[in-house]
Amino acid sequence: MKKFRSITLIVSILMLASMFLAACGPAATPVPEEAAPEGESLAVGIVLPTKDEPRWIQDETRFKEALTAAGYDVEILFSQGSSAKEKENVEALITKGVKVLIICPQDGAAAAAAAEVAREAGVKVISYDRLIRDTEAVDYYVTFDSVAVGAAQAQYLVDKASGTGNPLYLYAGASSDNNAFLFFEGAWNVLQPKIADGTFVIKNSSEAVALQDKATLTRDEQAKIIGQVTTNWDFNTAKGLAEANLTVATAADKGDVFILAPNDGTARAIADAFAADTDVTSYVVTGQDAEIASVQYIIDGKQSMTVLKDVRTLVADAIAAAVAYLEGGTPEETNAYNNGVIDVPAKPSVVVTVDKDNVKAAVIDSGYWPAEEFTGLE
Ligand code: BGC
């Protein structure tokens, strides 16, 4: 078939493209003329969870940049928060003849059905960023080290705290997302000893307080805490929960507070709620994704840190894995993640802690975002 004609060329073009992207960043990515002949289709389909969060628009943009630079047309569909829509998207792509599916599930367990439909059709399934759970029909997992993300967030809070009795507010992602558990696990590993020694006092979760003497939590125990402090990855839910927590808390529970916020969107919502409370003297709040709005919040001193997960790397890894499958090979594996049924081979990428001190070097000088996006940069 024409589209499989020159896989070696595709690989070299993609490698060049990813090196080029890593060097230049998103704004200045012209399509190399010799590499963009006629927009041939690659037998790969991509399904992302929602357009309503900047994180996934970022992934779409980075995929388009990498694929356009390599001269390929690949369809990217969004599930808009619906597992039913996600399955329809997968079926549509199978009908169009994709051989590899790159899918970031809206709901990790619900996506098992879509993965199984793909497996039955002989399509390789690459779980992207979030793990598809409770099925054998996942071939590979392209991911960041999500336990390290949670650990980096918690370590930031620990490094900024001194003395004892510091008020700690915990927030988590959606319990339908396996990553929410990994982030929480990484954070708990670092925070729990500092709760046990009195550095922090949990203020907004009776479930976490009940489990605070346990260094390691089972998934069910994590689920109890996450169920109580979930933002559902939704800004309004995060804002409402933070406001409700602040309403119940006394002035003594406030003062200089420490907040574990799971990602940038929820961090901005939670930070705004804490900033508006006159009993809060100062706050340290975490995040992740290095979203443009949060990088600006960091520059402005409204969000303390974020965890940069370089989506360019994830995209390059996903494309390399897809090409490996199209060539009849298998992608590189350094780790495995259990999805409740099988150990899924993976190659997790490293993450970087970013705050006001290194924001320019880590986010702008690295080419991740162009300086023009921001005001007040020194
Ligand atoms: C991703 C995060 C993202 C969150 C909400 C997680 O699975 O790893 O980067 O912020 O979902 O969309």
Side-chain angles (χ1 to χ4, degrees):
M1 250 161 96
K2 188 182 169 210
K3 53 187 131 190
F4 298 118
R5 206 180 40 202
S6 53
I7 286 295
T8 320
L9 177 68
I10 299 169
V11 176
S12 18
I13 290 169
L14 286 173
M15 282 173 65
L16 275 174
S18 64
M19 282 161 58
F20 186 81
L21 285 174
C24 299
T29 308
V31 178
E33 266 169 38
E34 71 285 7
E38 65 236 7
E40 277 183 60
S41 70
L42 193 64
V44 175
I46 299 170
V47 180
L48 296 174
T50 177
K51 278 190 179 207
D52 296 339
E53 291 176 40
R55 162 66 214 266
W56 306 114
I57 299 288
Q58 213 191 116
D59 294 69
E60 179 195 34
T61 308
R62 308 287 192 187
F63 263 118
K64 281 187 177 159
E65 285 165 358
L67 291 161
T68 305
Y72 285 94
D73 259 353
V74 166
E75 196 156 1
I76 304 179
L77 301 177
F78 281 87
S79 309
Q80 290 311 102
S82 155
S83 297
K85 174 85 181 149
E86 180 178 85
K87 190 150 172 275
E88 280 169 30
N89 285 341
V90 168
E91 284 162 350
L93 291 167
I94 295 171
T95 306
K96 289 187 177 178
V98 303
K99 298 284 172 247
V100 180
L101 181 67
I102 296 172
I103 171 170
C104 181
Q106 167 59 31
D107 174 311
E116 281 157 16
V117 169
R119 167 70 58 93
E120 275 159 32
V123 171
K124 292 285 184 193
V125 176
I126 299 174
S127 205
Y128 179 84
D129 193 282
R130 298 176 175 172
L131 187 57
I132 300 173
R133 288 189 58 85
D134 303 330
T135 177
E136 290 181 10
V138 189
D139 294 285
Y140 191 66
Y141 181 29
V142 184
T143 184
F144 294 103
D145 184 342
S146 295
V147 174
V149 172
Q153 294 171 331
Q155 191 59 49
Y156 196 84
L157 298 180
V158 169
D159 291 346
K160 295 290 169 190
S162 57
T164 57
N166 296 290
L168 177 66
Y169 291 79
L170 301 172
Y171 297 95
S175 43
S176 58
D177 177 3
N178 192 58
N179 284 347
F181 289 79
L182 300 177
F183 300 144
F184 195 80
E185 178 187 331
W188 189 260
N189 290 344
V190 175
L191 288 176
Q192 190 276 335
K194 293 293 176 183
I195 295 163
D197 76 5
T199 304
F200 292 118
V201 181
I202 302 166
K203 295 295 182 186
N204 70 328
S205 169
S206 55
E207 297 285 2
V209 169
L211 291 162
Q212 67 185 7
D213 295 329
K214 291 198 71 178
T216 309
L217 302 178
T218 64
R219 195 174 169 94
D220 284 349
E221 289 167 341
Q222 291 168 349
K224 282 188 184 165
I225 303 174
I226 293 172
Q228 198 173 39
V229 300
T230 185
T231 60
N232 216 16
W233 292 136
D234 176 67
F235 322 139
N236 290 326
T237 307
K239 182 170 179 281
L241 183 60
E243 285 170 352
N245 291 159
L246 286 164
T247 303
V248 173
T250 64
D253 294 328
K254 299 177 189 175
D256 298 315
V257 305
F258 293 79
I259 310 163
L260 178 75
N263 75 347
D264 281 350
T266 60
R268 295 193 301 277
I270 293 166
D272 289 349
F274 276 78
D277 189 307
T278 48
D279 291 326
V280 172
T281 323
S282 72
Y283 62 86
V284 179
V285 64
T286 62
Q288 73 166 300
D289 293 333
E291 285 181 9
I292 289 173
S294 277
V295 171
Q296 187 64 56
Y297 258 47
I298 290 173
I299 295 167
D300 296 342
K302 297 200 289 190
Q303 181 177 323
S304 314
M305 63 87 78
T306 186
V307 181
L308 169 64
K309 308 198 300 186
D310 192 326
V311 172
R312 296 171 299 187
T313 310
L314 204 62
V315 160
D317 285 351
I319 295 172
V323 170
Y325 283 129
L326 291 175
E327 277 188 299
T330 44
E332 189 188 342
E333 169 186 356
T334 56
N335 269 56
Y337 285 75
N338 191 275
N339 78 345
V341 177
I342 53 163
D343 287 331
V344 183
K347 181 172 140 311
S349 298
V350 295
V351 299
V352 180
T353 297
V354 176
D355 73 357
K356 211 168 183 167
D357 292 342
N358 69 342
V359 65
K360 189 167 173 300
V363 176
I364 288 115
D365 298 347
S366 70
Y368 199 68
W369 293 127
E372 308 85 80
E373 294 285 352
F374 306 103
T375 56
L377 260 181
E378 277 145 36

